[in-house]
Amino acid sequence: PDWREEEGGAAPAVPFTITVTKPSGVSAVFYCSTERGDSHRYVIGNVSCYATEEEANNQAAYTGPEFEDLDDKLQESFDEYLAEIGLHEKLCDFIDATASDAEQKEYARWLDNMGKFVQ
């Protein structure tokens, strides 16, 4: 079994975002997370759309509806768009591996710092 797997048997989901900015400055931010599966390796939580960079940086800006509340055809269109720009199984595998590696490094750093603390 994969050492990254949780007790329930599934690897933990890793959150990630994809930001696409058009030359006009309009941007869309896809808030996603990886998931285990044979045919679909990610889930979209929601999609935000901003007219300007200033709006995108505003923490109070509307982040859009929950993805599952969108029309099914719109959900499919967003999924197809993400596939077109390169979101695929191998990229999700890379995201999972990178997150796992980063977590291991942070854990090792924590152990080192804790060792210094208790000396």
Side-chain angles (χ1 to χ4, degrees), residues 1 9-10 21 26 28-29 32-33 35 54 65-66 71 82 93-94 99 104:
T21 304
V26 175
V29 181
C32 308
S33 60
E35 73 173 1
E54 181 180 285
E66 291 295 315
D71 179 79
L82 290 177
D93 290 344
F94 175 77
Q104 287 297 73

Side-chain angles (χ1 to χ4, degrees), residues 7-84:
E7 287 183 27
V14 176
F16 65 96
T17 60
I18 296 175
T19 302
V20 180
T21 304
K22 300 286 185 169
S24 65
V26 175
S27 63
V29 181
F30 296 82
Y31 296 91
C32 308
S33 60
T34 60
E35 73 173 1
R36 290 287 171 212
D38 294 330
S39 61
H40 206 72
R41 286 278 286 116
Y42 65 92
V43 187
I44 302 171
N46 70 343
V47 181
S48 299
C49 188
Y50 304 107
T52 64
E53 185 177 343
E54 181 180 285
E55 184 181 346
N57 293 330
N58 180 354
Q59 292 184 355
Y62 178 60
T63 59
E66 291 295 315
F67 189 74
E68 62 189 24
D69 294 337
L70 296 175
D71 179 79
D72 289 344
K73 289 183 181 182
L74 185 55
Q75 290 181 35
E76 289 174 24
S77 294
F78 281 138
D79 271 329
E80 290 170 6
Y81 177 74
L82 290 177
E84 287 174 16

Side-chain angles (χ1 to χ4, degrees), residues 86-104:
L87 183 56
H88 46 72
E89 183 177 351
K90 288 183 182 181
L91 181 57
C92 290
D93 290 344
F94 175 77
I95 291 169
D96 284 339
T98 301
S100 178
D101 185 50
E103 184 176 344
Q104 287 297 73

